[in-house]
Amino acid sequence: MKRFWIPLIGLALFYLEPVFGMFSPLTIDGDYYYVVPRFLIMFLIFVSIFHNTKHAMLYGLFFGLLYDVFFIDIIGLYSFLYPALCVVAGYIVKNIERNLIVATIIALALTVVFEFVLYQFFSLIGLTSISIGAFLNMRLLPSMIANLLFLIVLGWAFRSVMVRRMFEQKKSLTLSRFYNQ
């Protein structure tokens, strides 16, 4: 059962994103601010940083394909971007210390890249017509604040699940080597 924690958390986050997305747009002083939760990609980045980049890529491909099919009807966009961001996260942390602050900064930075790539793609094909300034002020900034709050609340839990899973795998490998000798 322990091996299913990471996919189950990913599945729960996949279903929670649209629920939290229902609170958007927020109206403050007559201006609309769109909050887009990106819980799943941030979780996958944490998986890539603290557990295993290959597993994060596979989960990213699976959940990206699900996201493409259920939410945007453009097959391949999320199923390409999710694994690509996991690879970038894994590459970034190869030579630096893996701690919660570094992981949070990397997750937020890659989420900004993710949002900007989506904005550019949707602008290119004509699905959005908002200006870059409006995008930055009315969508990106509120979304990053909300996603930062999410990571502040649950980032340590993500890290502990990944670290515990990694130690369990190493322990089982060590025990299997010991018993096979």
Side-chain angles (χ1 to χ4, degrees):
M1 181 64 186
K2 293 177 184 178
R3 70 177 14 185
F4 295 113
W5 276 112
I6 293 174
L8 287 175
I9 292 171
L11 193 61
L13 292 174
F14 176 78
Y15 285 115
L16 281 177
E17 278 185 8
V19 172
F20 280 94
M22 292 173 59
F23 296 113
S24 183
L26 302 173
T27 306
I28 301 173
D29 294 331
D31 293 329
Y32 290 103
Y33 296 97
Y34 297 90
V35 177
V36 181
R38 297 293 182 195
F39 307 149
L40 182 59
I41 187 60
M42 291 190 296
F43 176 70
L44 293 174
I45 290 168
F46 268 62
V47 171
S48 182
I49 292 171
F50 290 113
H51 182 58
N52 187 331
T53 302
K54 182 180 175 184
H55 289 154
M57 286 175 46
L58 293 174
Y59 295 139
L61 180 64
F62 175 73
F63 287 117
L65 190 59
L66 281 179
Y67 204 97
D68 287 337
V69 169
F70 286 112
F71 297 121
I72 65 168
D73 297 331
I74 300 174
I75 305 299
L77 184 61
Y78 282 75
S79 56
F80 170 74
L81 288 175
Y82 276 11
L85 290 175
C86 293
V87 169
V88 170
Y91 181 75
I92 289 172
V93 297
K94 275 188 173 184
N95 298 320
I96 59 176
E97 183 180 346
R98 296 173 184 176
N99 61 39
L100 190 57
I101 295 172
V102 169
T104 301
I105 292 169
I106 291 170
L108 287 174
L110 290 177
T111 304
V112 167
V113 169
F114 179 73
E115 288 288 339
F116 191 72
V117 167
L118 287 177
Y119 168 74
Q120 290 296 322
F121 180 78
F122 290 137
S123 293
L124 181 70
I125 63 172
L127 286 179
T128 188
S129 60
I130 64 172
S131 68
I132 188 75
F135 167 73
L136 293 174
N137 290 328
M138 295 179 359
R139 180 174 168 164
L140 187 64
L141 184 62
S143 295
M144 289 303 103
I145 292 170
N147 287 320
L148 174 63
L149 292 174
F150 171 75
L151 281 181
I152 288 172
V153 172
L154 288 177
W156 61 271
F158 290 165
R159 181 188 168 277
S160 65
V161 166
M162 259 47 95
V163 169
R164 187 175 312 129
R165 180 70 183 125
M166 188 173 61
F167 283 137
E168 288 171 359
Q169 283 181 337
K170 287 182 181 179
K171 182 180 171 184
S172 68
L173 282 174
T174 305
L175 288 176
S176 68
R177 287 183 190 153
F178 175 73
Y179 288 121
N180 288 333
Q181 289 180 357

